[in-house]
Coordinates of all heavy atoms in Angstrom, one line a residue:
L15 N 0.9 -1.2 -0.1 CA 0.0 0.0 0.0 C 0.9 1.2 0.0 O 2.1 1.1 0.2 CB -0.9 0.1 1.2 CG -0.4 0.4 2.6 CD1 -1.6 0.8 3.5 CD2 0.4 -0.6 3.2
S16 N 0.4 2.4 -0.2 CA 1.1 3.7 -0.3 C 1.0 4.3 1.1 O 0.1 4.0 1.8 CB 0.5 4.6 -1.4 OG -0.8 5.0 -1.0
L17 N 2.0 5.2 1.3 CA 2.0 5.9 2.5 C 0.7 6.8 2.6 O 0.1 7.1 3.6 CB 3.2 6.9 2.6 CG 3.4 7.6 4.0 CD1 3.6 6.7 5.0 CD2 4.7 8.5 3.9
E18 N 0.2 7.3 1.4 CA -0.9 8.2 1.4 C -2.1 7.3 1.8 O -3.0 7.8 2.6 CB -1.2 8.7 -0.1 CG -0.3 9.8 -0.4 CD 1.1 9.4 -0.9 OE1 1.4 8.2 -0.9 OE2 2.0 10.2 -1.1
R19 N -2.2 6.1 1.3 CA -3.4 5.2 1.7 C -3.3 4.9 3.3 O -4.5 4.9 4.0 CB -3.4 4.0 0.9 CG -4.6 3.1 1.2 CD -5.9 3.7 0.6 NE -7.1 2.8 0.9 CZ -8.1 3.2 1.6 NH1 -8.1 4.4 2.3 NH2 -9.1 2.4 1.8
F20 N -2.2 4.8 3.7 CA -2.0 4.5 5.2 C -2.5 5.7 6.0 O -3.3 5.4 7.0 CB -0.6 4.2 5.6 CG -0.2 4.0 7.0 CD1 -0.8 3.0 7.7 CD2 0.6 4.9 7.7 CE1 -0.5 2.8 9.1 CE2 0.8 4.7 9.1 CZ 0.3 3.7 9.7
V21 N -2.3 6.9 5.5 CA -2.7 8.1 6.3 C -4.2 8.1 6.3 O -4.8 8.5 7.1 CB -2.0 9.4 5.7 CG1 -2.7 10.6 6.2 CG2 -0.5 9.4 6.0
E22 N -4.8 7.9 5.2 CA -6.3 7.8 5.1 C -6.8 6.8 6.0 O -7.8 7.2 6.7 CB -6.7 7.5 3.6 CG -6.3 8.5 2.5 CD -6.7 8.0 1.1 OE1 -7.2 6.7 1.1 OE2 -6.5 8.7 0.1
L23 N -6.2 5.7 6.2 CA -6.8 4.7 7.1 C -6.6 5.0 8.5 O -7.4 4.4 9.4 CB -6.1 3.4 6.8 CG -6.5 2.7 5.4 CD1 -5.4 1.7 5.1 CD2 -7.9 2.1 5.3
V24 N -5.6 5.7 9.0 CA -5.3 5.8 10.4 C -5.5 7.2 10.8 O -5.5 7.6 12.1 CB -3.9 5.4 10.9 CG1 -3.7 3.9 10.5 CG2 -2.8 6.1 10.0
S25 N -5.7 8.2 9.9 CA -5.9 9.6 10.3 C -7.3 10.2 9.7 O -8.2 10.5 10.5 CB -4.7 10.4 10.0 OG -3.6 10.0 10.5
Y26 N -7.3 10.3 8.4 CA -8.4 10.9 7.7 C -9.8 10.0 7.9 O -10.8 10.6 8.3 CB -8.2 11.0 6.3 CG -7.1 11.8 5.8 CD1 -6.6 11.7 4.6 CD2 -6.4 12.7 6.8 CE1 -5.4 12.6 4.2 CE2 -5.5 13.6 6.3 CZ -4.9 13.4 5.0 OH -3.8 14.1 4.7
G27 N -9.6 8.7 7.9 CA -10.8 7.8 8.1 C -11.4 7.9 9.5 O -12.5 8.1 9.6
P28 N -10.6 7.8 10.6 CA -11.1 8.0 11.9 C -11.7 9.4 12.1 O -12.8 9.4 12.7 CB -9.8 7.8 12.8 CG -8.9 6.9 12.0 CD -9.2 7.3 10.6
Q29 N -11.1 10.5 11.6 CA -11.6 11.8 11.8 C -13.1 11.8 11.0 O -14.0 12.4 11.6 CB -10.6 12.8 11.0 CG -11.2 14.2 11.3 CD -12.3 14.7 10.4 OE1 -12.3 14.2 9.2 NE2 -13.0 15.6 10.9
R30 N -13.2 11.3 9.8 CA -14.5 11.3 9.0 C -15.5 10.5 9.7 O -16.6 10.9 10.0 CB -14.1 10.9 7.6 CG -15.4 10.7 6.7 CD -14.9 10.5 5.3 NE -14.0 9.3 5.2 CZ -14.4 8.1 5.1 NH1 -15.7 7.7 5.2 NH2 -13.4 7.1 5.0
I31 N -15.2 9.2 10.0 CA -16.2 8.3 10.6 C -16.7 8.7 11.9 O -17.9 8.7 12.2 CB -15.7 6.8 10.7 CG1 -15.3 6.4 9.3 CG2 -16.7 5.9 11.2 CD1 -16.4 6.4 8.2
H32 N -15.8 9.2 12.8 CA -16.1 9.7 14.1 C -16.4 11.1 14.3 O -16.7 11.5 15.4 CB -15.1 9.1 15.1 CG -15.1 7.6 15.3 ND1 -16.0 6.9 16.1 CD2 -14.4 6.7 14.6 CE1 -15.7 5.6 15.9 NE2 -14.8 5.5 15.1
Q33 N -16.2 11.9 13.3 CA -16.4 13.4 13.3 C -15.6 14.0 14.5 O -16.1 14.6 15.3 CB -17.9 13.7 13.5 CG -18.7 13.4 12.2 CD -18.3 14.3 11.1 OE1 -18.4 15.5 11.1 NE2 -17.7 13.8 10.0
I34 N -14.3 13.7 14.5 CA -13.3 14.1 15.4 C -13.1 15.6 15.2 O -12.9 16.0 14.0 CB -12.0 13.3 15.4 CG1 -12.2 11.9 15.7 CG2 -11.0 13.9 16.4 CD1 -11.0 11.1 15.4
A35 N -13.1 16.4 16.2 CA -12.8 17.9 16.1 C -11.3 18.1 16.1 O -10.6 17.6 17.0 CB -13.5 18.6 17.2
N36 N -10.8 18.8 15.0 CA -9.4 19.4 15.2 C -8.3 18.3 15.1 O -7.3 18.6 15.6 CB -9.3 20.4 16.3 CG -10.1 21.6 16.0 OD1 -11.2 21.8 16.5 ND2 -9.5 22.6 15.4
K37 N -8.5 17.2 14.7 CA -7.6 16.1 14.5 C -7.6 15.4 13.3 O -8.6 15.6 12.5 CB -7.7 15.1 15.7 CG -7.3 15.6 17.1 CD -7.3 14.4 18.0 CE -7.0 14.9 19.5 NZ -5.6 15.5 19.6
G38 N -6.5 14.8 12.9 CA -6.7 13.9 11.8 C -6.0 14.4 10.5 O -5.9 13.7 9.5
R39 N -5.4 15.7 10.6 CA -4.8 16.2 9.3 C -3.8 17.3 9.7 O -3.9 17.9 10.7 CB -5.7 16.8 8.3 CG -6.7 17.7 8.8 CD -7.7 18.0 7.8 NE -8.6 16.8 7.6 CZ -8.9 16.3 6.3 NH1 -8.6 17.0 5.2 NH2 -9.6 15.1 6.2
I40 N -2.8 17.4 8.9 CA -1.8 18.5 9.1 C -2.2 19.7 8.3 O -2.0 19.8 7.1 CB -0.3 18.0 8.7 CG1 0.1 16.8 9.5 CG2 0.7 19.2 8.8 CD1 1.5 16.2 9.1
A41 N -2.9 20.5 9.0 CA -3.5 21.7 8.4 C -3.6 22.8 9.5 O -3.6 22.6 10.8 CB -4.9 21.5 7.8
L42 N -3.6 24.1 9.1 CA -3.6 25.2 10.1 C -4.9 25.1 10.9 O -6.0 24.8 10.5 CB -3.7 26.5 9.3 CG -2.5 26.9 8.4 CD1 -2.6 28.2 7.9 CD2 -1.2 26.7 9.2
G43 N -4.7 25.3 12.2 CA -5.8 25.3 13.1 C -6.0 23.9 13.8 O -6.8 23.8 14.8
Y44 N -5.5 22.8 13.2 CA -5.6 21.5 13.8 C -4.7 21.2 14.9 O -3.6 21.9 15.0 CB -5.5 20.5 12.7 CG -6.6 20.3 11.9 CD1 -7.1 21.2 10.9 CD2 -7.4 19.1 11.9 CE1 -8.2 21.0 10.2 CE2 -8.5 18.9 11.2 CZ -8.9 19.8 10.3 OH -10.0 19.7 9.5
D45 N -5.0 20.2 15.9 CA -4.2 19.8 16.9 C -2.8 19.4 16.3 O -2.8 18.9 15.3 CB -4.8 18.8 17.7 CG -5.9 19.1 18.5 OD1 -6.2 20.4 18.6 OD2 -6.6 18.4 19.1
A46 N -1.8 19.8 17.1 CA -0.4 19.4 16.6 C 0.0 18.1 17.0 O 0.8 17.8 17.8 CB 0.6 20.5 17.2
D47 N -0.8 17.1 16.3 CA -0.5 15.7 16.6 C 0.2 15.1 15.3 O -0.1 15.3 14.2 CB -1.8 14.9 16.6 CG -2.7 15.3 17.8 OD1 -2.2 15.8 18.8 OD2 -3.9 15.2 17.8
F48 N 1.5 14.5 15.6 CA 2.3 14.1 14.5 C 2.9 12.7 14.8 O 3.2 12.4 16.0 CB 3.4 15.0 14.3 CG 3.0 16.4 14.0 CD1 3.2 17.4 15.1 CD2 2.5 16.9 12.9 CE1 2.8 18.7 14.9 CE2 2.0 18.2 12.8 CZ 2.2 19.1 13.7
T49 N 2.9 11.8 13.9 CA 3.6 10.5 13.8 C 4.7 10.7 12.9 O 4.6 10.8 11.7 CB 2.7 9.4 13.5 OG1 1.6 9.3 14.4 CG2 3.5 8.1 13.5

């Protein structure tokens, strides 16, 4: 699999399915969570 697909599965997917606030992506205003 690609690194992009991995990010979708462990960051974007959880954010979308669970409607997490301010997490799941590297963008301005989001929590500074990094792996």
Side-chain angles (χ1 to χ4, degrees):
L15 79 164
S16 67
L17 189 61
E18 285 80 3
R19 184 71 181 114
F20 177 63
V21 169
E22 289 175 359
L23 291 166
V24 294
S25 300
Y26 301 162
Q29 189 278 329
R30 173 173 51 86
I31 299 302
H32 291 275
Q33 290 294 296
I34 303 170
N36 290 91
K37 288 188 183 296
R39 60 191 59 223
I40 299 178
L42 299 182
Y44 276 70
D45 286 354
D47 300 333
F48 308 104
T49 301

